[in-house]
Amino acid sequence: MQTRKTFQKSLTLEAVRELKSHPTADEVYNFVSKQYPEISRATVYRNLNYLCETGSVYRVRVADGADHFDYKTTPHYHFRCSSCGRVTDVAMPYMENLNAQCETANGASVTEHQVFFSGSCSDCKKQNQ
Amino acid sequence: MQTRKTFQKSLTLEAVRELKSHPTADEVYNFVSKQYPEISRATVYRNLNYLCETGSVYRVRVADGADHFDYKTTPHYHFRCSSCGRVTDVAMPYMENLNAQCETANGASVTEHQVFFSGSCSDCKKQNQ
DNA sequence: ATAACTGCAAAATATTTGCAACGCG
DNA sequence: CGCGTTGCAAATATTTTGCAGTTAT
């Protein structure tokens, strides 16, 4: 199956890149529909799935309902503040050896791992004091 | 707010413990309703949330729609096979120092971390050969 | 007795899909 | 022109909630 370059596809990718804030599909849709109100939510979802498959964006599953999308495709870890819900990157080295460790322990062939942290971000910590 | 011991609550906890296979809420509901058909789906969801809050079961968010529940409450990691969807525990040491590492990198106060691996489990690996 | 809990139905949230029209290559 | 893509609406999936009746303590 071939793929075609469409205006909607480019807009979707641009949105994830410009938002930078690990947007949900809904946030991407809101952003895109400001520039192009005719776009359908379904198209945004379809294009986000497509972009994930081709590796142009990365899907992040943190602990709140919707999936988030990340324009940064090099492997890294995430933190989610349980009071404000914001998702941020963690400036921590990627653990190269972890997949191999899991393979040894499990007998499976491991292709990737995700790590996510939760707690209270520095902003929310201040407010609660 | 006080809590009361109910038949439905016990059944829900027992289901997670007996299923052992990281069931989803729906799977817990199906299991429980075989023994007690009058139970409502909403009650199962409410009780699963309650059991998570009190630490009796653990919520696992792996990369497929629904949340999974784990009777094993000591911290450990998970693997999900992307072809059969099965979720298994990984017999790998828990990294005690990871939260502290994230705190240093992020300035947040980190209360927990989850790690999940994906790939192909040993059964599916065989089948695809 | 009274406040927590339940069952039911409806709502909320998140995502996918069938289909006819559209438009990229 | 052909087939991938879109927009729309409806369907599906997962979870929560309002409410009136039930029950544990």
Side-chain angles (χ1 to χ4, degrees):
Chain A
M1 191 178 76
Q2 305 196 70
T3 57
R4 283 172 198 171
K5 197 176 179 176
T6 63
F7 184 48
Q8 291 90 334
K9 237 176 231 177
S10 316
L11 278 177
T12 308
L13 178 56
E14 275 317 298
V16 179
R17 289 198 173 146
E18 281 182 48
L19 284 168
K20 282 191 172 58
S21 51
H22 307 85
T24 60
D26 192 60
E27 286 162 346
V28 172
Y29 169 74
N30 286 143
F31 186 87
V32 169
S33 62
K34 271 178 204 147
Q35 303 156 257
Y36 186 64
E38 307 88 318
I39 203 167
S40 155
R41 204 176 278 277
T43 299
V44 173
Y45 274 94
R46 274 187 287 231
N47 283 337
L48 285 171
N49 285 340
Y50 164 79
L51 292 167
C52 285
E53 275 162 33
T54 56
S56 308
V57 307
Y58 193 64
R59 192 189 299 265
V60 182
R61 311 221 185 209
V62 280
D64 64 336
D67 287 359
H68 293 248
F69 296 89
D70 197 338
Y71 73 103
K72 203 174 149 190
T73 53
T74 52
H76 61 283
Y77 305 134
H78 294 96
F79 171 83
R80 177 173 182 272
C81 173
S82 36
S83 69
C84 68
R86 222 172 337 174
V87 176
T88 49
D89 290 346
V90 178
M92 205 180 102
Y94 181 76
M95 299 174 281
E96 299 284 356
N97 60 326
L98 226 51
N99 290 358
Q101 247 185 282
C102 176
E103 288 201 359
T104 311
N106 229 27
S109 75
V110 178
T111 53
E112 70 161 329
H113 72 264
Q114 292 201 22
V115 178
F116 81 86
F117 297 90
S118 40
S120 191
C121 72
S122 39
D123 289 356
C124 289
K125 243 195 321 188
K126 276 179 220 149
Q127 277 174 29
N128 297 338
Q129 277 169 8
Chain B
M1 190 177 81
Q2 306 195 69
T3 57
R4 286 174 192 169
K5 194 175 181 178
T6 63
F7 184 48
Q8 290 90 334
K9 237 176 236 177
S10 317
L11 278 179
T12 307
L13 179 55
E14 276 316 298
V16 179
R17 289 198 174 145
E18 280 182 52
L19 283 168
K20 281 191 174 60
S21 51
H22 308 84
T24 60
D26 191 62
E27 287 164 346
V28 173
Y29 169 73
N30 286 143
F31 186 87
V32 170
S33 62
K34 270 178 206 149
Q35 300 157 261
Y36 185 63
E38 307 88 317
I39 202 166
S40 154
R41 207 175 219 93
T43 299
V44 173
Y45 275 94
R46 274 187 289 235
N47 284 336
L48 285 171
N49 284 341
Y50 164 80
L51 292 167
C52 285
E53 276 161 32
T54 56
S56 308
V57 306
Y58 194 65
R59 190 189 301 267
V60 183
R61 310 218 186 211
V62 281
D64 66 336
D67 288 358
H68 292 247
F69 296 90
D70 197 339
Y71 74 102
K72 201 173 148 190
T73 55
T74 52
H76 62 282
Y77 306 133
H78 294 95
F79 171 83
R80 177 173 180 273
C81 174
S82 35
S83 69
C84 68
R86 223 173 336 175
V87 176
T88 50
D89 290 346
V90 178
M92 203 180 102
Y94 182 75
M95 300 174 278
E96 299 283 357
N97 61 325
L98 226 51
N99 291 358
Q101 247 184 282
C102 177
E103 289 201 358
T104 310
N106 228 26
S109 77
V110 178
T111 52
E112 70 161 329
H113 72 263
Q114 292 201 24
V115 177
F116 80 87
F117 297 89
S118 41
S120 190
C121 72
S122 40
D123 288 356
C124 289
K125 241 193 326 187
K126 274 179 226 151
Q127 276 173 30
N128 297 337
Q129 277 167 7

